[in-house]
Amino acid sequence: MLSVDEARARILDGVRLTDAEEIPLDRCLGRVAVPGVRAEIDVPSFANSAMDGFALRAADAPGPLPIAGEVAAGRGDLPVLAPGTALRIMTGAPLPPGADTVVPLEEATEADGQVRVPAPLSPGRHVRGQGHDTRFGEELLLGAPMAAADIAVLASIGVARIAVRRRPVVAILSTGDELVPPGEPLRPGAIYDANAPALAAAVRDAGGEPLALPPVRDAADDTDERLRDAAARARLVLTSGGVSVGRHDHVRDAIARLGSLDLWRISVQPGKPLAFGSIDGTPVMGLPGNPVSALVTFELFARPLIRAMLGLAGDGRVHLPARAQQRMPKDTPRRAYLRVRLAHAGRGYEAQASGGQGSSQLRALSAANALLVVPEGIPAAEPGESYEAIVIGGME
Ligand code: AMP
Ligand code: MG
């Protein structure tokens, strides 16, 4: 069986970037800008005041200086500051020609139309110089995926549309004769399809565009037909279920029949039976059916693959050391990803099981804010010992 790291390396091998598309600024949240965006103006494009106060020449301190007028933010036709005078100035207003410093209101004393200021004053105080934030021609290093501050940077240089990586379309196929979509009555022996909605959300969160398709029957012909169709319509096909060794598990054989099967079975818990290959050049990942297995293997293998298509490295998660608060057994020598709740403890973090660790026990995954990585070969996470935690949720 392949290790998690070997399997991930194979899955990421030869991944192709999606092409670029241009979108308006208000659609940029969470998107990945194509590198090489350059500023075409200085920001600010003129020297301006950082405070409400008085613009003057530092050499004229302490005054008193006659207040010769006012400059408000947004003003284009600037008065010239005559030597030996001051101009009232507002935050963000252009520094008038002749002035070299700003004295904040709090430091100034006004009387009879004159102002006294502290002395000595150094030129440039409380003045935001041209290009103080961004310089013309500078390459912008935007966060990826873009957050509110990145959108602010783009807006500040006047950009209204920007080239981003197209979100890869990811087809999602649940398999199983037992599956019923949420919202419909449950017939005897049936269960609700938890994976398709969950995987669609996980795809979106990773930066992809989910293409939700109806569930696939547990039959070889239906599996072949639906996989071929999905491969033609998407950049990546994710299936869930039907990859194990049961008599009605058809996904692995279908991938091998229709294309090529690159790997099957990974030394991981949960999620051992994952299958990966390609059909007509489209990568196909057969995730295990148990919902916890499906989502944890999505996290470990599909999320980095979707990100790689966007030009992003890694899983985009915080990894940090956390001490186990209790003994958490794992029932195989495989590397385990336990569902835990992290909490601050002193300067570090402690991890506690967030519920039952069975691969169908979704509630523990829902309650978890991290996966605790318990290495190969040991039987349990031991209390007080430190393990790598992958932060997948928020923390109080
Ligand atoms: P399989 O690998 O197809 O045998 O599925 C393993 C287990 O996961 C079985 O108990 C299935 O009923 C369950 N399962 C498979 N797909 C889903 C799904 N989409 N939603 C909820 N449970 C599922
Ligand atoms: Mg099944």
Side-chain angles (χ1 to χ4, degrees):
M1 258 189 287
L2 288 174
S3 73
V4 169
D5 305 309
E6 288 164 338
R8 192 159 36 214
R10 280 209 207 171
I11 288 168
L12 294 178
D13 188 44
V15 62
R16 284 178 301 121
L17 284 175
T18 61
D19 54 6
E21 63 176 333
E22 207 183 81
I23 60 167
L25 203 54
D26 65 359
R27 306 286 304 280
C28 280
L29 184 67
R31 303 299 298 270
V32 180
V34 172
V37 184
R38 287 187 185 277
E40 291 183 13
I41 58 167
D42 287 323
V43 181
S45 56
F46 51 88
N48 67 87
S49 177
M51 302 291 280
D52 291 320
F54 295 93
L56 47 101
R57 295 195 313 180
D60 290 339
L65 306 170
I67 302 167
E70 178 188 294
V71 198
R75 188 151 166 197
D77 58 323
L78 288 178
V80 176
L81 180 95
T85 70
L87 286 165
R88 209 179 282 286
I89 193 164
M90 312 302 150
T91 305
L95 194 70
D100 61 15
T101 195
V102 170
V103 175
L105 277 182
E106 297 84 332
E107 295 175 15
T109 320
E110 249 184 276
D112 307 327
Q114 303 214 319
V115 63
R116 279 179 179 282
V117 296
L121 285 179
S122 46
R125 248 176 111 233
H126 302 299
V127 175
R128 303 186 283 218
Q130 182 173 337
H132 174 66
D133 190 21
T134 301
R135 292 201 170 276
F136 177 94
E138 206 178 342
E139 181 170 344
L140 303 178
L141 295 175
L142 298 165
M146 284 190 270
D150 303 305
I151 291 168
V153 166
L154 292 170
S156 79
I157 62 166
V159 163
R161 298 179 67 80
I162 181 168
V164 297
R165 291 260 161 249
R166 203 177 285 282
R167 292 180 185 278
V169 173
V170 180
I172 296 166
L173 286 170
S174 292
T175 72
D177 289 344
E178 72 276 37
L179 300 179
V180 170
E184 288 186 12
L186 207 54
R187 48 184 164 71
I191 61 168
Y192 286 120
D193 180 356
N195 291 346
L199 291 171
V203 162
R204 211 177 277 288
D205 189 48
E209 184 67 44
L211 171 65
L213 300 171
V216 182
R217 307 274 92 207
D218 281 324
D221 53 356
D222 196 36
T223 308
D224 282 9
E225 189 185 318
R226 301 292 310 285
L227 274 181
R228 205 184 290 114
D229 169 65
R233 292 167 66 179
R235 284 292 310 258
L236 167 66
V237 178
L238 290 180
T239 65
S240 71
V243 283
S244 205
V245 291
R247 290 189 54 192
H248 301 285
D249 292 341
H250 298 287
V251 172
R252 176 176 47 111
D253 290 346
I255 299 173
R257 243 187 333 264
L258 302 172
S260 70
L261 183 73
D262 298 340
L263 66 89
W264 178 58
R265 301 222 295 178
I266 299 171
S267 179
V268 64
Q269 185 197 40
K272 180 175 76 168
L274 184 137
F276 180 79
S278 64
I279 297 174
D280 297 331
T282 303
V284 180
M285 192 179 292
L287 303 172
N290 273 307
V292 175
S293 312
L295 281 174
V296 170
T297 50
F298 177 93
E299 174 70 29
L300 301 178
F301 304 106
R303 183 178 165 91
L305 178 57
I306 293 169
R307 287 173 56 85
M309 291 173 173
L310 295 165
L312 302 176
D315 59 13
R317 301 293 197 190
V318 172
H319 292 230
L320 50 78
R323 274 189 312 280
Q325 238 183 327
Q326 72 209 123
R327 186 163 199 275
M328 290 178 254
K330 66 200 225 309
D331 50 16
T332 87
R334 284 175 265 142
R335 183 190 294 182
Y337 290 81
L338 303 180
R339 279 67 74 199
V340 298
R341 189 93 213 143
L342 288 188
H344 294 277
R347 290 186 172 184
Y349 297 92
E350 269 183 352
Q352 189 167 25
S354 57
Q357 298 291 317
S359 56
S360 61
Q361 290 179 293
L362 262 178
R363 299 291 300 286
L365 183 55
S366 160
N369 59 6
L371 298 173
L372 195 70
V373 188
V374 188
E376 292 80 354
I378 61 170
E382 301 294 346
E385 290 291 316
S386 187
Y387 302 92
E388 176 189 358
I390 306 171
V391 180
I392 56 170
M395 205 135 45
E396 293 92 61

